[in-house]
Amino acid sequence: MRLNLAKIEAALLESVRADPALIGTILVNDGQRTDMFADDYRTLTAIAEGRAVVGGVS
């Protein structure tokens, strides 16, 4: 399973929270894909866990 992370402005995040139907504007804007990062969620979990251990958060 893949997880897509999009770089967005805080104002757009608030708009989507108020109206979840706007989520499509984050992924595709005027026919072009937004600035996104996609990876397998298990890989991202492993990275986050590793960083937490190194940072002493575990």
Side-chain angles (χ1 to χ4, degrees):
M1 175 177 264
R2 301 202 50 91
L3 176 66
N4 293 327
L5 303 173
K7 297 177 186 177
I8 63 171
E9 299 293 325
L12 179 56
L13 176 60
E14 292 303 318
S15 296
V16 171
R17 284 182 176 161
D19 183 5
L22 296 175
I23 193 72
T25 63
I26 293 175
L27 303 177
V28 178
N29 189 6
D30 295 328
Q32 298 180 353
R33 293 188 67 79
T34 59
D35 191 3
M36 292 179 52
F37 174 80
D39 207 342
D40 186 296
Y41 75 93
R42 294 168 293 191
T43 301
L44 296 173
T45 299
I47 291 169
E49 289 173 349
R51 290 182 63 139
V53 169
V54 169
V57 179
S58 63

